Amino acid sequence: MGVALSRSAQWTAAGYETGTLEITALNESILNEIIEFVEPFVYKYPQEAKFVFIEPLEWKTNLEPSAFESGYIVSETTAKSEEVDKDGEPLLLLCVPNIKVRSFGQLSQFLSFAKDNKLQEAQACIEANREPMVKILGSYYDEMTDDPPTITILDSITSDQDMHNKRKIAILLKQLDLHLLNHSLKHISEGIRLNPATFKKDIELLKRYSGKGDETVLESIDYTSDYEFSNGCRAPPWRQSQGEVCYVIVKPHDVDALCLTCSAEGVFLNGGKTEEEGEINYERQGEIYKDLVTCLKDKSPVFSENMSKHELRFSEDQQKDSDTYDKPKIEEVQSSVTSSDKSKTEKSQISFGKSPMTKRLEPSLNWRATVDYKEKGSAKDSQEEKQGKAEKSSTSVSSGRAQLLRKSGEKVEETASESSSESEEDEEPPDHRQEANADLPSEYWQIQKLVKYLKGGNQTATVIALCSMRDFNLAQETCQLAIRDVGGLEVLINLLDTDEVKCKIGSLKILKEISHNPQIRRNIVDLGGLPIMVNILDSPHKSLKCLAAETIANVAKFKRARRAVRHHGGITKLVALLDCGHHSTEPTQPSLYETRDVEVARCGAQALWSCSKSHSNKEAIRKAGGIPLLARLLKTSHEDMLIPVVGTLQECASEENYRAAIKAERIIENLVKNLNSENEQLQEHCAMAIYQCAEDEETRDLVRQHGGLKPLASLLNNTDNKERLAAVTGAIWKCSISKENVIKFREYKAIETLVGLLTDQPEEVLVNVVGALGECCQEYENRVIVRRCGGIQPLVNLLVGINQALLVNVTKAVGACAVDPESMSIIDRLDGVRLLWSLLKNPHPDVKASAAWALCPCIENAKDAGEMVRSFVGGLELVVNLLKSDNKEVLASVCAAITNIAKDQENLAVITDHGVVPLLSKLANTNNDKLRRHLAEAISRCCMWGRNRVAFGEHKAVAPLVRYLKSNDTNVHRATAQALYQLSEDADNCITMHENGAVKLLLDMVGSPDQDLQEAAAGCISNIRRLALATEKARYT
Amino acid sequence: MNRKKLQKLTDTLTKSCKHFNKYEVNCLITLFYNLVGDAAERSGAVVGLDRNAFRNILHVTFRMTDDMIMDRVFRGFDRDNDGCVNVSEWVQGLSLFLRGTLEEKMKYCFEVFDLNGDGFISKEEMFHMLKNSLLKQPSEEDPDEGIKDLVEITLKKMDQDHDGKLSYTDYENAVREETLLLEAFGPCLPDPKSQMEFEAQVFKDPHEFHDI
């Protein structure tokens, strides 16, 4: 009772302490319930009725002493009961107007005397005794009542009759309390309108129990719209104003699909979704049900049958759901709601959950009652001014969660399907809605007015409003967001779905402009704009196609949009637009609906360019036959056209399939031609495309054959446009992988220019410049040029960078330079070797490997290399430990470095101490030829020290080495034969080799044209043979 | 009508009309006589489509709905103001309707919109033409306020010399800048869809044109 009274009874605003009960229907019904409990108490529980309260219930009564009848001692102003307690005190004492009552028996008597005034008396009593439980049972029991077992134990100890009664009353009161709570909940829930959260949970739950099979309650239940507004509704705004929340299509097992409207009033059947337009006929077609479950029960017998089977689980789920679902929200609201509210709501819910009475309630009603009660409770208890705040925060939470859900769902899908050059805005930034109270610019109101005319005007008014809207500066974010915030986007997109060509054109012209804004793009996608625009691509009006394609080009700047375009068949249609570009028709008369074919193709290419940033779209473009069309468009001479075409090709060239097709379609030729264009953007994209394609050797040759190297080299001289410079240097880098191209570049003096670009350039440029120099420096002449131009110093300076790609290229370039002793001395002087060495600690394996490779020529060509290497404190240990890496390239490079290090005896001793032998032996079982070769070389070097030969044998490195001889790589053969030759100095190793069939393999190697290989193989065989002879000799002597 | 007469009529009209070829003119003439019906021909009175018949065609074939605009279109067709569209006016009018250049269409539309023919589209005329263009909202005190505002918006957009009315120059400049404004005050040209349907039907076989 205490809980119910303090929680759900509606006290006046004055506060709990001094307040009186408000005269409301709820309170009245609670009081009636209490009276109904107390009045028959004396008959129902005669024993307990005699129980004397710890403290009397006191209040001011209007009852006159004269009203008391027999069994009372009545005087003028007093009345007392004849029934007394152990101490002789009367159980009822009235001294007008105060009354004290000390037992339920007396209470119930009193109420019967009060007759018509029962209600007032009960109210006065409750108001005066705010904690009846404490007064009746004492504070101890008030806390104890939640815990029946304790009471039982207490009871069993004291078998006192009084105690027994006390316990019984405690339980009875507890039951009353629960009953009152349920009663008030029921009461509240009846008065509450349905809200979006209710429906959402209802539908989610039903979904969980839907699917194929006899056990499920429904076949399917789905929203008609995926878009959820921030208030949780899915109905379009103009329907929301009528209280409609969302529409669901329900497919029960036994009857046809139902299209239901969920509105605040209830659930009813609407006119259904029309097949062709996909629009909903909002008219109500039947009676209104109080909720979804009731409605479905009525419509589908199978549903109600299966539902009754699931009832229990369903209600449990609902309960659980409402628990988990609402908690975060409640906690969010906490900041604005007093803490007592929380404990209250939770507590009441818990007691509610335990209550046996829940079973009597309808499952869904029960569940909604708790939810609504909570919401109502929090809203009611927070003061008026807090209420708004609380609601706001709760809606923002729910919308935030919706976004989160959507996002996480998306992530799963996208990681599966897309992974490619998606550079820009891949993560979705949060929406910045304009603050309602922020100062709004005058444009806002003007735009709002125009949108009003868009909504409420016929075609003529709409066109005027659209034209007028275009006079605003649509490039300005204020206007873009204003259009969205006044609901203009919805209208504009709706217009696209009409038959009015002029409205479509006007709308697209605006959408095209405002979709430059990333937020607007997302809104357009959320509102389902893309499928409509994709459909417009089929329109017979070319200008309409153009506008749609251009808008798609703007919108498809992020993954979700690109995927939507593809899923709605947009790629094929866009590719089809390219097809009309080659008819060089004369421009037709300027008309509203017509435009040049070239223009259509241009817009198509533009849209494809945007779409081509997704891997799957590239594939889709190729499958739709886009490459030959792009190749054909590439032959035209319109710059406007060429830029998107080359842009698309450049994006797509990241795919192997495309590179092959680009070669086959003779696209390189045209790319090279357009390098000579005047347009910087075009040059940039051409260079970029060449950069992508020139991974392929044939393509590199094609670039040279079509004279592409000269324009590339000359473009190096213009360094103002950094994007273009990055693309050009990239193309030069990839092209210079071919030796013939390098010769050309030298001719064009590109190497000198590249060296000049080593300073003061952004990293994107530097990576490519250094990469190109690294390739060029493979040739002696170029190394000389680089040294002469002072390129070594800036290269060594770049070794301290952090950009991984750059470091990989720099180390390679420095390594290439170090091949020249003269350059090496410069590097040494600049402390380049130490810098390279420290890069072995770089976390990225590519950098480690590249640095280790670069160290090889350094050690080889440095004067006093041994001394230099020893001077790096901890350097040798570092190298040896890199043998624990699991990256093959790192291992191969480190083996190569060790080979060079081990040339110095002292260093070899040091690395032996660091345990190089077991580490190398452990690597022996590998199939990687590159690693095999360098490993064998390292082993053969390391054999030169101490008992390393024996140690390799002990660590079982010999047998795997023998198997290397079966490899197809002569380099591996040579290195292995040399290693075996070294190892064969040890008798045990010879035995192992012999056992593993080395002799036959080595005999074959003796016939090799490679002299070193011959020699090593022969040496090894002779060692084996000598051992055999020695053993024979030993045997016979 | 005998073949010879028809031949002659076709020849003259083909000469005077630059947008149709002879076959098309022929089709249109045939259609015209189908529409007018034999009765009119026999009676010897003015041969042509009267206002109602013409409005019917506009409504059914070209999906125009605005009574006032349709009247104005009728006047546009009926060059000699005799209350009916004769065969020559029919062909000339359709030539503009279906094949007119932007120039021609602008002139025609301006005439349609210039209700009193004074060479200007005044605020009052605009109001008159736009008065049914907005959904009446019962909540608004002055139901015409929206229309008035729309007129102001249009003027702001199109009245380049700021004299409070649209001259042909104002109109022409505005339309050249934004072609959507060609039919700014109401559809007075066939929409592309009905135009295509009409052409497809008429130039295929005029006898099958039974819609009217």
Side-chain angles (χ1 to χ4, degrees), chain A residues 468-630:
Chain A
S468 172
M469 200 179 272
R470 289 195 61 211
D471 284 348
F472 288 96
N473 183 2
L474 294 179
Q476 202 185 327
E477 193 173 36
T478 346
C479 294
Q480 295 166 345
L481 296 185
I483 292 178
R484 178 191 68 182
D485 292 345
V486 299
L489 277 184
E490 286 91 335
V491 186
L492 289 173
I493 289 172
N494 275 345
L495 282 175
L496 298 183
D497 230 353
T498 61
D499 271 341
E500 299 293 346
V501 183
K502 271 181 280 192
C503 296
K504 287 191 201 178
I505 290 178
S507 166
L508 278 175
K509 278 181 175 173
I510 292 170
L511 286 173
K512 184 181 101 181
E513 295 301 325
I514 61 177
S515 56
H516 286 291
N517 180 316
Q519 291 182 53
I520 301 281
R521 282 173 206 156
R522 286 171 210 291
N523 296 127
I524 292 176
V525 176
D526 289 340
L527 291 167
L530 277 176
I532 305 177
M533 287 191 257
V534 166
N535 280 338
I536 292 182
L537 294 177
D538 285 336
S539 156
H541 308 295
K542 288 180 189 162
S543 59
L544 205 48
K545 286 190 204 180
C546 278
L547 285 166
E550 279 183 296
T551 315
I552 291 175
N554 285 340
V555 174
K557 292 262 161 72
F558 63 108
K559 266 191 216 171
R560 192 152 54 87
R562 288 193 279 263
R563 199 180 52 214
V565 173
R566 182 177 70 250
H567 285 181
H568 291 93
I571 301 290
T572 327
K573 291 179 186 177
L574 288 170
V575 168
L577 293 190
L578 300 181
D579 201 11
C580 44
H582 60 285
H583 315 293
S584 54
T585 47
E586 76 284 6
T588 50
Q589 47 173 321
S591 144
L592 183 51
Y593 310 112
E594 289 306 309
T595 183
R596 283 151 58 218
D597 282 336
V598 181
E599 186 64 10
V600 178
R602 183 188 70 80
C603 297
Q606 196 100 40
L608 284 177
W609 186 14
S610 291
C611 292
S612 64
K613 294 203 166 60
S614 295
H615 170 77
S616 314
N617 282 351
K618 292 176 191 177
E619 199 51 28
I621 295 174
R622 198 178 59 84
K623 282 195 182 131
I627 303 175
L629 292 171
L630 287 169

Side-chain angles (χ1 to χ4, degrees), chain A residues 203 222-225 234-236 238-240 244-249 259-262 268 270 280-282:
Chain A
I203 291 164
D222 283 301
Y223 291 110
T224 55
S225 152
R234 287 167 193 262
W238 65 93
R239 299 301 299 179
Q240 280 182 34
E244 294 185 1
V245 174
C246 60
Y247 312 99
V248 284
I249 295 195
C259 192
L260 300 173
T261 300
C262 300
F268 56 83
N270 59 36
I280 295 163
N281 177 2
Y282 298 111

Side-chain angles (χ1 to χ4, degrees), chain A residues 55-111:
Chain A
E55 275 181 76
L57 296 174
E58 285 183 85
W59 70 96
K60 287 189 167 62
T61 176
N62 293 325
L63 210 63
E64 292 298 331
S66 55
F68 290 90
E69 294 168 19
S70 63
Y72 292 88
I73 304 154
V74 183
S75 73
E76 183 91 42
T77 54
T78 60
K80 56 184 176 184
S81 62
E82 284 174 357
E83 199 183 353
V84 291
D85 65 5
K86 283 179 276 186
D87 307 314
E89 290 284 339
L91 290 178
L92 183 146
L93 179 66
L94 170 72
C95 302
V96 176
N98 291 323
I99 186 163
K100 292 182 180 179
V101 182
R102 295 179 58 194
S103 79
F104 271 110
Q106 290 301 326
L107 263 182
S108 116
Q109 287 269 332
F110 172 81
L111 281 176

Side-chain angles (χ1 to χ4, degrees), chain A residues 290-302:
Chain A
K290 71 177 160 56
D291 63 18
L292 209 54
V293 175
T294 327
C295 176
L296 288 170
K297 275 187 173 171
D298 193 64
K299 298 280 178 208
S300 156
V302 171

Side-chain angles (χ1 to χ4, degrees), chain A residues 541-543 585-597 599, chain B residues 18-20 24 94-106 176 179 182 189 195 199:
Chain A
H541 308 295
K542 288 180 189 162
S543 59
T585 47
E586 76 284 6
T588 50
Q589 47 173 321
S591 144
L592 183 51
Y593 310 112
E594 289 306 309
T595 183
R596 283 151 58 218
D597 282 336
E599 186 64 10
Chain B
K18 54 186 172 185
H19 295 309
F20 290 131
E24 288 167 332
L94 283 177
S95 146
L96 177 131
F97 242 47
L98 305 178
R99 306 281 164 87
T101 61
L102 183 64
E103 211 88 354
E104 291 168 333
K105 284 182 176 168
M106 282 196 290
R176 286 202 190 281
T179 333
L182 181 64
L189 287 167
Q195 174 178 347
E199 289 196 29

